[in-house]
Amino acid sequence: MQQDIIIVGGGMVGLSLALMLAKAKIGVKLLEAIKYPNYDDANLAPYHSSFDARNSALSRRSVQIYQELGLWDALQEHATPILQVDITEQGSFGKARLRAEQEKVESFGQVIENAWLGRVLLTQVRQQPLIDLIDGVQVTALTQNEDFASIEAIRGEETLTLNAKLVIAADGRDSFCRKALGIGASVHDYDQVAIVTTVQTSKPHGHVGFERFSHLGPLALLPLPGEYRRSVVWPVKKGTEDEWLGEENDQHFLDALQETYGDRAGKFQKTGKRFCFPLSQVLAEKQAIGRVVLMGNAAHTIHPVAGQGFNLCMRDAYVLLRYLTEQQAKNADLGDAEMLLEYEKSRLKDQQRVIKFCDSVVRGFSNQNPFLKIIRNTGLLAFETIPGIKPLVANYAMGLKA
């Protein structure tokens, strides 16, 4: 079977890119290893391996992309804007604050439940005639020559051989495609797991997002739909996760949140089920080789400390779309190796800046040396007082200066 483009991996990045391509009148075959759920109104957004209990802080740029796709009205039903960001360190004097009103923007971005984002994306993909969706399929081989890339896969008792001008590998941190092509990756284990859940507080969130650095790990508290619901992402030391998981530890978890945040959010009253995810940085040594380009976590998996990972992937996808539409307009080869290398080169500056920033924050705030704490908090005060810094940081965080 011949196809212009095959996307391997139907997570949020793969689905989003497929919809971008379809809007540009480019047909695509989308392969996903896991069977997708069937949605109904009684179970609005069941968890799936790609759309789990986590929430994503969509940057302003990512929101704009979904608006261009005509999806934002549906997505906004389970999203809430971030109008203010407060950054502090437990037991220290430094504090930084960003306000959307001061930066003259409607919001810095929107927090959305991944399960709902996945439902909306998948529903649209299933309705799009230019997208041939095959789920429950396991890719077993990826090869390429001058004319096309070839994928072998199995689906139940069926064996598939698929050829395409271009293969986009968006198959996750442990990408099979990346390994099949012999592309190495640098891996740094942060020795952390992210504890993820939703909590209810006595004070309304007021559309404020908190980043609170503590001795346990960098704690993010983000507003969710409903005045008193907040998303929690708390990276803690690997091996301590059992202390925070399970219903029997609900009160212990709430008490730890209370101690870390104080009364800024009022009383932490209820917690949902907690989930944990290992945290590591995985960076592919190459992102384009021949007729294959890596996308999403297959290209770069980063720490969630600043909520930039998915937004970086969305910018990658949007730029790749531009290169592909230019090729299509010229009736040129969509899998041209030189074009894909140009795409990779065009994205390196933005990628390296975000990767370095996130890694530096994690490493810098993990060190409890008193002298370093003074330097960190002096930096937060400088951020708060020196003119010109806030707009620059805000624009980068919103993805507007990529």
Side-chain angles (χ1 to χ4, degrees):
M1 298 168 62
Q2 179 72 46
Q3 196 82 16
D4 282 339
I5 297 178
I6 294 174
I7 298 176
V8 181
M12 297 192 302
V13 174
L15 290 171
S16 298
L17 180 54
L19 289 168
M20 292 181 203
L21 292 168
K23 185 175 177 61
K25 308 302 182 185
I26 299 175
V28 59
K29 188 179 293 290
L30 179 61
L31 310 181
E32 165 59 23
I34 307 299
K35 287 288 292 182
Y36 286 117
N38 290 315
Y39 295 113
D40 55 53
D41 291 339
N43 194 3
L44 283 176
Y47 292 153
H48 173 264
S49 62
S50 297
F51 330 128
D52 50 39
R54 286 173 282 191
N55 299 280
S56 291
L58 300 180
S59 71
R60 190 169 177 82
R61 185 71 190 101
S62 295
V63 171
Q64 290 173 349
I65 292 171
Y66 285 126
Q67 287 173 335
E68 290 178 25
L69 289 172
L71 300 180
W72 186 245
D73 286 347
L75 291 174
Q76 199 166 28
E77 291 182 33
H78 288 257
T80 194
I82 302 173
L83 303 182
Q84 180 174 309
V85 178
D86 288 0
I87 306 167
T88 58
E89 182 171 8
Q90 186 179 15
S92 299
F93 59 86
K95 178 173 67 175
R97 176 172 292 165
L98 286 169
R99 292 189 178 94
E101 183 180 14
Q102 289 181 346
E103 304 308 321
K104 297 180 173 56
V105 293
E106 177 189 353
S107 70
F108 292 120
Q110 302 263 349
V111 184
I112 189 166
E113 298 167 70
N114 284 7
W116 180 254
L117 176 57
R119 174 184 174 129
V120 172
L121 293 175
L122 181 57
T123 299
Q124 290 297 312
V125 163
R126 283 172 165 163
Q127 296 173 357
Q128 176 52 252
L130 287 175
I131 301 174
D132 183 9
L133 176 62
I134 306 177
D135 61 353
V137 60
Q138 193 71 43
V139 175
T140 57
L142 169 58
T143 57
Q144 57 179 323
N145 57 34
E146 290 185 3
D147 298 318
F148 56 82
S150 180
I151 284 178
E152 294 183 11
I154 54 174
R155 187 189 193 196
E157 301 295 322
E158 185 182 11
T159 300
L160 303 176
T161 300
L162 308 171
N163 297 322
K165 290 295 184 181
L166 169 65
V167 168
I168 301 171
D171 52 340
R173 179 180 62 181
D174 300 318
S175 171
F176 170 86
C177 293
R178 188 181 66 222
K179 296 172 184 176
L181 294 169
I183 299 175
S186 64
V187 180
H188 173 71
D189 188 341
Y190 286 107
D191 196 33
Q192 293 179 332
V193 295
I195 305 299
V196 176
T197 191
T198 299
V199 296
Q200 180 177 310
T201 59
S202 63
K203 288 183 179 180
H205 54 62
H207 301 283
V208 178
F210 290 100
E211 187 77 47
R212 179 78 160 165
F213 294 95
S214 73
H215 68 282
L216 292 175
L219 173 57
L221 198 66
L222 300 174
L224 287 174
E227 282 188 272
Y228 302 94
R229 294 176 65 242
R230 305 179 192 236
S231 164
V232 173
V233 181
W234 198 350
V236 299
K237 185 172 178 58
K238 186 184 295 183
T240 68
E241 55 266 33
D242 289 347
E243 178 182 350
W244 309 109
L245 304 176
E247 290 185 18
E248 68 278 8
N249 290 321
D250 282 5
Q251 193 58 51
H252 173 60
F253 179 73
L254 290 170
D255 290 344
L257 285 176
Q258 197 76 63
E259 180 182 354
T260 301
Y261 263 99
D263 63 356
R264 293 169 183 80
K267 182 175 176 57
F268 287 86
Q269 298 174 321
K270 293 181 181 179
T271 176
K273 183 178 179 181
R274 270 91 61 211
F275 300 84
C276 72
F277 303 90
L279 298 179
S280 61
Q281 181 189 84
V282 182
L283 306 178
E285 294 174 356
K286 298 178 181 178
Q287 296 178 43
I289 183 169
R291 295 183 170 276
V292 182
V293 62
L294 303 183
M295 187 65 51
N297 285 339
H300 41 70
T301 302
I302 63 177
H303 197 284
V305 64
Q308 290 298 306
F310 180 64
N311 296 303
L312 181 61
C313 296
M314 287 291 287
R315 296 199 294 275
D316 289 343
Y318 196 80
V319 172
L320 178 62
L321 173 69
R322 189 183 73 226
Y323 276 87
L324 293 176
T325 53
E326 289 174 357
Q327 288 291 99
Q328 183 190 46
K330 297 184 294 186
N331 199 28
D333 186 355
L334 294 179
D336 180 73
E338 289 187 11
M339 177 270 294
L340 295 177
L341 289 174
E342 286 180 15
Y343 153 77
E344 179 184 19
K345 184 179 179 181
S346 74
R347 293 300 302 143
L348 288 179
K349 183 178 179 180
D350 185 25
Q351 292 173 359
Q352 290 169 356
R353 174 183 54 80
V354 171
I355 291 164
K356 183 178 181 179
F357 172 75
C358 293
D359 187 60
S360 297
V361 169
V362 175
R363 293 175 188 266
F365 278 89
S366 295
N367 194 318
Q368 297 302 305
N369 181 291
F371 179 67
L372 289 178
K373 290 185 74 170
I374 292 174
I375 293 176
R376 288 197 298 264
N377 283 269
T378 302
L380 289 175
L381 288 178
F383 176 85
E384 188 67 19
T385 56
I386 297 177
I389 292 182
K390 284 188 179 182
L392 180 65
V393 172
N395 280 330
Y396 274 121
M398 291 185 288
L400 302 179
K401 293 293 184 181

